[in-house]
Amino acid sequence: MSQKTLTDGAHTRAAETPPDASAKRWWILAVVALAQLMVVLDATIVNIALPSAQADLGFSDGNRQWIVTAYALAFASLLLLGGRIADFFGRKPAFLIGIVGFAAASALGGAANGFGMLVTARALQGAFGALLAPAALSLLNTTFTDARERARAFSVYGAIAGAGGAVGLLLGGLLTDALDWRWTLYVNVPIAVLAFAGGWLLLSNHRDAAGSKLDVPGTVLVAAGLFALVYGFSNAETHDWGSPLTWGFLIAGGVLLVAFTWWQTRAAHPLLPLRILLDRDRAASFLAVLISSAGMFGVFLFLTYYLQLNLGFSPTKTGVAFLPMVGALMVTAQLGTTLLVPRVGPKVIIPLGFAIAAGGMAWLTGIGVGSDFASAVLPQVIVIGVGLGLVMPPAMQLATGGVAAEDAGVASATVNAMQQVGGSIGTALLNTLAASAATDYLVGRDVTSKAVQAQATIESYTTAFWWSAGFFAAGAVLTFLLHRRGVPQQDAGAAQVVHM
């Protein structure tokens, strides 16, 4: 089909869209953004509350990690299944059931009277989040078909996905300080009520893949593979890389995912059609989400440690310290998706964003024991926010753009899977590298000296920052090589009907 035909078709659709439908789309964006914020918040909001929860419920340091890991394991391993369920049975029921389940699991966790109940609630949050997140993203993909509106919608969604971790730290600190650790879970309930009401009133059901069948072998292979991969990286944090619980699960995860890929070439109704992955721009965008998520943990995790343990910030003040980065990310998210990528193309903008973020991370390595936040941290996190705003929102838009409507859910689930796996890889690698750097620094020095111990922690942080800068630099090179030149065109085979 010629470009002129595509353009004429877009104008025809725009002309046929009544004004009230356009207004309705923006209300749908607000509902989807609320749901996405709820899912992203829970990746970090509980972290700040963990010490208080541990003191209240009396579980051990060894078990503390499971409060985070239970969520990540359920979320990552069930994402592709959740995305396919949205395609089969409709995005509205998937969205609404996901919200209700997530809210109920959050209330259960907030009311937990012991470790087992809290871990169960976190796993249930992850499971329902795996249904909710792909449904939310695919709703954007099928609701916003006009290029400019779609860019604007994804700039909002991508900014939330990128900045949600920092917002979670802020909200977690505020709720823990002002109320109680349980409110880091209870807060999801009022958010869910608003999102459910909006979804019930605004969305209508449409089953784009209603005639397909569930790929059961593929579902089992990919769920087991992602579970093993995330579990292996989680064990690298609590054990070491030489433990069979680490390398054994990582190898098993790799083998299962290879087997899943092989099966997708033979399945009559593949869970993840390989046509989704074989497009160069889409593959580059998936990779961008993976790498940016891995590197972001260098900011959130270790900068949180530095601000609280070295500069003496409270949890609330730590969260506030991330707000300039969030603001910068949201501004450049708008510029990147609505102005720069549509005019220049991703081959320039996404690598540029990675390069800026890498520069900001390298600049952040200048922190010291007695550094001042205003000069040693603030400008650096703003630069990082600028860079990431040019990477994550455009990458998420390109990763889901142009897919057929019946594949929108599973394409959206793949984006979320890249984000989750990237975070798991980043956390495991950076924790290990940081711990090794601190140990190496202490060799031959007086380990009883507080000054030496303080400098050892600085060495661990700066090592993590350098490696995060390396991740971003690698992302710049890889996305530059993979992305096509020019501005991506909407695939004529993609669904262009507005389902509301």
Side-chain angles (χ1 to χ4, degrees):
M1 185 179 289
S2 67
Q3 180 60 42
K4 183 179 184 301
T5 306
L6 285 176
T7 305
D8 290 345
H11 286 313
T12 301
R13 286 186 300 272
E16 292 174 350
T17 303
D20 60 328
S22 180
K24 189 178 179 182
R25 284 201 291 275
W26 297 111
W27 281 109
I28 290 174
L29 172 61
V31 170
V32 168
L34 263 181
Q36 173 65 11
L37 180 64
M38 188 171 66
V39 173
V40 176
L41 283 178
D42 269 73
T44 56
I45 192 172
V46 175
N47 292 18
I48 283 182
L50 274 179
S52 299
Q54 184 178 5
D56 190 11
L57 300 180
F59 52 85
S60 66
D61 288 344
N63 284 335
R64 184 172 59 188
Q65 178 64 27
W66 280 102
I67 308 301
V68 177
T69 304
Y71 180 87
L73 286 174
F75 186 69
S77 58
L78 296 174
L79 268 168
L80 288 182
L81 175 60
R84 215 49 175 160
I85 288 173
D87 289 332
F88 286 165
F89 300 106
R91 296 179 188 95
K92 180 174 181 176
F95 184 82
L96 296 179
I97 291 170
I99 286 177
V100 171
F102 199 94
S106 300
L108 180 69
N113 57 13
F115 172 75
M117 187 173 171
L118 182 56
V119 167
T120 300
R122 290 287 286 165
L124 288 172
Q125 276 187 311
F128 283 106
L131 180 62
L132 175 59
L137 181 52
S138 61
L139 279 167
L140 286 194
N141 194 39
T142 54
T143 299
F144 290 91
T145 55
D146 175 78
R148 289 185 180 180
E149 288 187 353
R150 191 170 190 275
R152 227 174 275 141
F154 271 86
S155 71
V156 173
Y157 182 92
I160 290 173
V167 175
L169 293 173
L170 170 59
L171 194 55
L174 284 169
L175 291 171
T176 304
D177 285 346
L179 297 169
D180 182 74
W181 68 268
R182 296 178 184 276
W183 279 95
T184 61
L185 293 160
Y186 285 144
V187 71
N188 291 319
V189 176
I191 297 175
V193 169
L194 290 174
F196 182 89
W200 182 270
L201 294 172
L202 295 169
L203 301 175
S204 60
N205 198 27
H206 191 93
R207 298 185 293 166
D208 290 301
S212 298
K213 296 180 180 178
L214 181 62
D215 174 17
V216 176
T219 300
V220 173
L221 285 170
V222 75
L226 289 172
F227 181 95
L229 206 61
V230 173
Y231 186 64
F233 280 118
S234 298
N235 284 330
E237 299 174 59
T238 53
H239 297 71
D240 58 65
W241 291 96
S243 168
L245 288 174
T246 300
W247 59 261
F249 274 96
L250 291 177
I251 291 173
V255 170
L256 287 166
L257 291 178
V258 169
F260 167 73
T261 304
W262 169 83
W263 173 251
Q264 296 308 281
T265 65
R266 285 157 175 77
H269 300 278
L271 181 70
L272 177 60
L274 293 185
R275 60 181 176 268
I276 292 175
L277 301 177
L278 295 179
D279 178 83
R280 276 181 58 182
D281 279 327
R282 191 171 294 116
S285 298
F286 285 140
L287 190 63
V289 173
L290 179 81
I291 293 172
S292 57
S293 298
M296 278 175 67
F297 275 84
V299 188
F300 292 148
L301 186 62
F302 294 95
L303 190 53
T304 297
Y305 291 159
Y306 176 70
L307 293 175
Q308 290 194 18
L309 301 180
N310 294 80
L311 298 189
F313 281 26
S314 67
T316 302
K317 191 175 180 182
T318 299
V320 171
F322 281 103
L323 288 183
M325 187 187 81
V326 173
L329 193 153
M330 296 184 101
V331 169
T332 52
Q334 289 284 334
L335 292 174
T337 52
T338 61
L339 292 176
L340 299 177
V341 171
R343 294 183 182 181
V344 182
K347 192 175 183 70
V348 174
I349 301 306
I350 290 180
L352 175 63
F354 269 127
I356 292 171
M361 289 300 302
W363 190 10
L364 194 57
T365 62
I367 60 168
V369 175
S371 293
D372 179 63
F373 172 78
S375 60
V377 178
L378 180 59
Q380 292 84 339
V381 296
I382 291 175
V383 171
I384 294 166
V386 168
L388 291 176
L390 295 177
V391 174
M392 291 197 73
M396 287 181 165
Q397 179 185 1
L398 291 165
T400 57
V403 297
E406 63 267 22
D407 296 330
V410 75
S412 302
T414 306
V415 172
N416 283 282
M418 292 298 105
Q419 199 172 3
Q420 184 62 53
V421 172
S424 298
I425 292 171
T427 302
L429 286 176
L430 295 175
N431 265 323
T432 303
L433 293 164
S436 297
T439 302
D440 292 344
Y441 180 82
L442 292 173
V443 173
R445 291 182 169 88
D446 181 8
V447 295
T448 62
S449 168
K450 289 186 177 180
V452 170
Q453 291 177 356
Q455 187 57 42
T457 62
I458 297 297
E459 291 293 322
S460 70
Y461 304 153
T462 56
T463 297
F465 296 156
W466 274 119
W467 276 94
S468 291
F471 290 162
F472 292 147
V477 173
L478 290 172
T479 53
F480 179 78
L481 293 174
L482 286 175
H483 274 300
R484 297 186 183 96
R485 293 182 181 275
V487 179
Q489 300 297 325
Q490 179 72 38
D491 183 358
Q496 296 294 336
V497 181
V498 180
H499 302 314
M500 292 188 294

